[in-house]
Amino acid sequence: RLLHGETLYRDIGSSYGPLPPYLDAAALRFFGEHLDVLIAVRTLFALLGVAALQRLVQRLAGDTLKTAAITSFIVATTFFGFGSPYPFPYSVAALEGTVGLWWALELALGATSWRSSLAAALLAGLAGGAKVELVPVAIAGTALALFWSRPRRQAAACTLLTALVGAASFALPVLWVGPEALRRHGFLIALDSPESWRHFYSWVMFGGPDLRSYVSGGFMLTLFPSLVFLLSALALLAASSSSPLWAGAAAAFAASGAVRIRGNDELHVLIPLAIALAVWELASAARARAFRTPQSPHRAWVCVAVPMLLVVWRQPFFLKIPAYSAFTSPLALAFCLSWLATRPWPRLSRAVPLLAAALCLSQGADRFRESRFNVMRWVSLPRASLYLPIESADLVEATARLLDRTTRIDDYACVFPEPGFITFATRRRSPFIDEQFHAGMQDATAEDEMIQRLKTRRIPVALITNRPLGFDGAEYRRGLLDRFFAEFDRSMRPVALLGDNTRRIPGMGQAAGAVVYVPRSETP
């Protein structure tokens, strides 16, 4: 849509900063308008993320074997799973911003000149420009690392550069399209988080609305079994420290597999443990007055701990939701496991990398089981070729045939709840500004704009798919976009079903069926 003349935030809604969509647009312009180009960009960032994590863990753990085991475990745990967060993220802004922050932190920790300090500061500012909540993380991480070891004037100038680049990424769109448009269709929507989202956030984070509910729910179901697993596994490995390495590895793998309940339940305690260890490390550095010593052994630990705490505070989901925890938990896992692996206790320092390696194998087994969860089929469209679950593949191909018969290239096609894939893959256009239509996404003014565009733009075909709408079991015409769909039903009529509209694809968040609508004024 950017390539074809539309303006971000005014014509195209986005909850994130302007840099990621323009990077995508540049890639599509230079390499062709095909999904493979975007897959390549995301895979490149995923690989850069692995390299950045490896370097940061190396600074903390020191030992090559420990670094390999811990980094592999983090990648196996957070880079994949349902949604494959790194190669195929829920938000490319989260992917690019997070990887950019890791590299900025690594460059700042290794800065030895004005040039390297400026490179770290500029990269941090660009990373902050991906998502508005990453700006303070970018400033805090690079500023702390630079002020610790570089001349104050240099550190101050670089920190100012980070702040200016990050702030400009969001200030310029506000000046260009106005704050009202950004509150409806841009990153300022985050300032008014819907009540349903806040309830969901509180439930995931705490496991209940009060302490009693949390202890009986969140703690007993999430943290307690994870704590028992971690202590048992470390005790088992420490007890077998005199055995051959292969015996310890076999014991660790058996322990990791034996206690698996579901998902990553056995790992949840690592995130709050990382928070506690980070606070301990900050206090230790303050007591030792390490901030005055450029070569202090506390420097890398503190410089990783501060941005890690800021990121985890933003979305403390433990490891429950892969889409989010994939970006919030890697630094916490790196800090926690590296800290445990470098303590002056021989049995523990030997047990931690063994545990990480065994958990890596266990995670790999989980990923393999997930990959076999649905039978997939190859789909080839004008701008996309990929594997999809059979039901979803049937629906996508039927939709493409329908659009070929009833519309022309660049015609409007209305698809709910998310039109982006269909319109991109079939070379059609969405008539609306927003790219998502879930609970809490549109306020009353945004709904008015949807109604106006419905009235003024010719929409030959509309599809309402049975893809799950997410929070609170929301449904169209039942509390969600009621005014819009009242107008929609006056101008459009249902004429056909595609796929199986009664079937849900478990765990995948995809559609298996759709209702087809055409204008009442036209013969279908």
Side-chain angles (χ1 to χ4, degrees), residues 99-169:
V99 172
L101 284 177
W102 293 346
W103 272 107
L105 180 59
E106 166 61 23
L107 291 175
L109 286 168
T112 57
S113 64
W114 261 102
R115 180 179 297 180
S116 53
S117 297
L118 286 172
L122 178 61
L123 182 57
L126 293 173
K131 292 186 74 177
V132 67
E133 64 265 32
L134 294 182
V135 174
V137 184
I139 295 172
T142 54
L144 182 58
L146 293 175
F147 271 104
W148 199 313
S149 61
R150 304 304 301 155
R152 292 200 172 201
R153 183 174 296 181
Q154 182 181 134
C158 291
T159 301
L160 180 61
L161 175 63
T162 299
L164 289 176
V165 172
S169 300

Side-chain angles (χ1 to χ4, degrees), residues 175-196:
L175 295 175
W176 181 252
V177 303
E180 290 305 315
L182 285 164
R183 287 194 182 95
R184 295 192 299 274
H185 310 294
F187 46 81
L188 293 182
I189 196 173
L191 300 179
D192 185 25
S193 180
E195 187 69 21
S196 60

Side-chain angles (χ1 to χ4, degrees), residues 438-521:
H438 298 277
M441 298 298 295
Q442 284 76 37
D443 61 11
T445 307
E447 192 171 5
D448 290 337
E449 291 180 353
M450 291 176 63
I451 294 171
Q452 181 63 23
R453 286 176 173 245
L454 180 68
K455 292 179 178 179
T456 57
R457 302 192 173 188
R458 180 181 177 274
I459 303 174
V461 174
L463 293 95
I464 300 180
T465 72
N466 70 340
R467 176 177 172 177
L469 293 181
F471 303 107
D472 294 343
E475 292 184 35
Y476 297 135
R477 302 182 180 86
R478 296 182 182 179
L480 177 57
L481 296 175
D482 286 343
R483 290 189 299 111
F484 169 80
F485 277 102
E487 186 63 36
F488 180 88
D489 290 335
R490 280 192 286 269
S491 60
M492 308 287 287
R493 60 191 174 112
V495 294
L497 294 176
L498 292 182
D500 185 352
N501 211 44
T502 64
R503 176 167 170 73
R504 302 283 182 174
I505 303 178
M508 298 294 285
Q510 297 189 41
V515 181
V516 181
Y517 292 78
V518 298
R520 291 184 180 275
S521 59

Side-chain angles (χ1 to χ4, degrees), residues 15-84:
S15 301
Y16 309 108
L19 300 181
Y22 279 104
L23 178 60
D24 277 355
L28 292 172
R29 181 181 296 279
F30 285 111
F31 300 106
E33 296 180 26
H34 198 279
L35 186 65
D36 287 351
V37 175
L38 301 183
I39 291 173
V41 171
R42 283 135 181 74
T43 304
L44 175 61
F45 271 92
L47 294 173
L48 289 171
V50 176
L53 277 176
Q54 183 268 335
R55 287 170 176 256
L56 290 172
V57 173
Q58 180 76 38
R59 287 187 180 277
L60 300 178
D63 180 82
T64 302
L65 182 60
K66 294 176 182 177
T67 297
I70 293 171
T71 305
S72 298
F73 164 66
I74 296 171
V75 171
T77 304
T78 62
F79 276 41
F80 303 103
F82 282 132
S84 298

Side-chain angles (χ1 to χ4, degrees), residues 266-524:
E266 77 282 8
L267 305 176
H268 292 319
V269 78
L270 294 175
I271 306 301
L273 179 58
I275 295 172
L277 295 177
V279 173
W280 173 272
E281 193 64 35
L282 289 171
S284 299
R287 286 196 302 270
R289 298 185 178 180
F291 301 101
R292 300 180 182 180
T293 308
Q295 302 303 322
S296 169
H298 291 279
R299 179 171 176 257
W301 293 99
V302 171
C303 290
V304 171
V306 170
M308 179 269 285
L309 288 172
L310 292 174
V311 168
V312 172
W313 178 259
R314 169 69 176 86
Q315 288 177 330
F317 288 135
F318 306 120
L319 291 164
K320 285 187 174 183
I321 306 179
Y324 301 125
S325 62
F327 302 106
T328 59
S329 62
L331 278 185
L333 295 175
F335 188 96
C336 179
L337 293 176
S338 298
W339 195 94
L340 293 173
T342 53
R343 295 308 94 189
W345 307 313
R347 290 189 174 185
L348 180 63
S349 62
R350 184 176 185 267
V352 170
L354 279 176
L355 178 63
L359 286 172
C360 182
L361 293 174
S362 184
Q363 290 288 324
D366 267 6
R367 300 297 85 80
F368 179 77
R369 283 195 294 270
E370 288 169 3
S371 73
R372 310 300 297 172
F373 190 79
N374 282 279
V375 180
M376 312 288 274
R377 185 165 68 78
W378 183 255
V379 175
S380 184
L381 300 171
R383 284 182 177 162
S385 299
L386 72 166
Y387 283 101
L388 290 172
I390 285 182
E391 299 90 342
S392 199
D394 292 342
L395 175 62
V396 165
E397 289 183 331
T399 300
R401 290 194 297 269
L402 173 73
L403 293 177
D404 282 341
R405 290 199 309 269
T406 59
T407 64
R408 295 170 294 181
I409 291 175
D410 291 332
D411 271 358
Y412 290 117
C414 178
V415 183
F416 290 94
E418 295 186 21
F421 173 73
I422 288 295
T423 54
F424 175 81
T426 61
R427 301 179 64 184
R428 266 57 178 184
R429 292 190 295 163
S430 172
F432 305 116
I433 297 175
D434 294 322
E435 289 284 340
Q436 294 181 316
F437 303 95
H438 298 277
M441 298 298 295
Q442 284 76 37
D443 61 11
T445 307
E447 192 171 5
D448 290 337
E449 291 180 353
M450 291 176 63
I451 294 171
Q452 181 63 23
R453 286 176 173 245
L454 180 68
K455 292 179 178 179
T456 57
R457 302 192 173 188
R458 180 181 177 274
I459 303 174
V461 174
L463 293 95
I464 300 180
T465 72
N466 70 340
R467 176 177 172 177
L469 293 181
F471 303 107
D472 294 343
E475 292 184 35
Y476 297 135
R477 302 182 180 86
R478 296 182 182 179
L480 177 57
L481 296 175
D482 286 343
R483 290 189 299 111
F484 169 80
F485 277 102
E487 186 63 36
F488 180 88
D489 290 335
R490 280 192 286 269
S491 60
M492 308 287 287
R493 60 191 174 112
V495 294
L497 294 176
L498 292 182
D500 185 352
N501 211 44
T502 64
R503 176 167 170 73
R504 302 283 182 174
I505 303 178
M508 298 294 285
Q510 297 189 41
V515 181
V516 181
Y517 292 78
V518 298
R520 291 184 180 275
S521 59
E522 299 181 13
T523 302

